[in-house]
Amino acid sequence: GESVGLHLPTLSVQEGDNSIINCAYSNSASDYFIWYKQESGKGPQFIIDIRSNMDKRQGQRVTVLLNKTVKHLSLQIAATQPGDSAVYFCAKGGSQGNLIFGKGTKLSVKP
Amino acid sequence: DTGVSQDPRHKITKRGQNVTFRCDPISEHNRLYWYRQTLGQGPEFLTYFQNEAQLEKSRLLSDRFSAERPKGSFSTLEIQRTEQGDSAMYLCASSPDRAEAFFGQGTRLTVV
């Protein structure tokens, strides 16, 4: 079946450093992938998406890389700030138009 | 605020009671989704609507769960005869197409 998994459940970085959060997926005919940020007690917040015909997409301080050969997705956050502390989920588009989420990586930013 | 709105934010109910949650999507979005999220897990898909039509239901959606979107605008999710295992965050999301979904803040259900 389809699944999405994150490599590390937690990640701790120093403020100002770059963060990289990785995600692997299986058996995907999905045409898009999305990264979400979820703060405690809140719903997931859209960060950035990437279509399967792309390898890289950049946003404000974030970059998503997609490697379809090894079925790997990553989110890079430049100059990580305390406000970036949250749980990050990767998700892929499912066959039903829904999203299939991984378990999440909790990012902690040390001042 | 024109985001996805969910009501109530929190609900505590006794086992066996029925509960109903409401979701108001972003107005121009024709797709509406319900997800459930338990502690430490990612959201799990429950069901989705395109306009007023309920097009897909997950196997997670037992017979005690029912969702409606009568006029293609707001949606309700009802859980009958609640069980402790139903305790979770119930998330609603909307999207204009098969791409990014925008989530509400969720309704946290606690069944005691």
Side-chain angles (χ1 to χ4, degrees), chain A residues 69-86:
Chain A
T69 302
V70 295
K71 296 184 177 171
H72 182 270
L73 186 71
S74 70
L75 177 70
Q76 301 176 4
I77 305 173
T80 314
Q81 302 168 0
D84 294 327
S85 294

Side-chain angles (χ1 to χ4, degrees), chain A residues 30-32 34 36 38 41-46 49 51 89 93-104, chain B residues 9 31 33 35 37 40-45 48 56-58 89 91 97-106:
Chain A
S30 178
D31 54 1
Y32 61 96
I34 305 178
Y36 283 91
Q38 188 173 28
K42 296 184 177 180
Q45 177 187 357
F46 173 87
D49 65 352
R51 300 282 170 170
F89 292 97
S95 57
Q96 301 171 337
N98 57 312
L99 291 169
I100 301 170
F101 285 82
K103 284 192 176 181
Chain B
R9 292 292 310 277
R31 287 175 174 245
Y33 304 84
Y35 289 82
Q37 185 177 26
Q41 303 295 316
E44 296 173 296
F45 169 72
Y48 104 91
E56 288 293 343
K57 291 196 289 186
S58 162
M89 175 80 88
L91 293 162
D97 56 25
R98 275 177 52 92
E100 65 215 62
F102 295 88
F103 283 83
Q105 300 287 45

Side-chain angles (χ1 to χ4, degrees), chain A residues 4-51:
Chain A
V4 180
L6 280 155
H7 290 189
L8 286 175
T10 60
L11 177 65
S12 183
V13 300
Q14 202 70 38
E15 182 179 356
D17 288 351
N18 296 337
S19 303
I20 300 176
I21 302 172
N22 295 302
C23 183
Y25 62 91
S26 69
N27 189 30
S28 178
S30 178
D31 54 1
Y32 61 96
F33 299 84
I34 305 178
W35 282 99
Y36 283 91
K37 171 186 180 184
Q38 188 173 28
E39 295 173 282
S40 181
K42 296 184 177 180
Q45 177 187 357
F46 173 87
I47 302 174
I48 191 168
D49 65 352
I50 187 168
R51 300 282 170 170

Side-chain angles (χ1 to χ4, degrees), chain A residues 56-71:
Chain A
K56 179 179 180 179
R57 190 167 186 215
Q58 288 184 293
Q60 188 176 14
R61 282 202 306 119
V62 295
T63 301
V64 56
L65 299 177
L66 175 62
N67 185 329
K68 294 180 287 295
T69 302
V70 295
K71 296 184 177 171

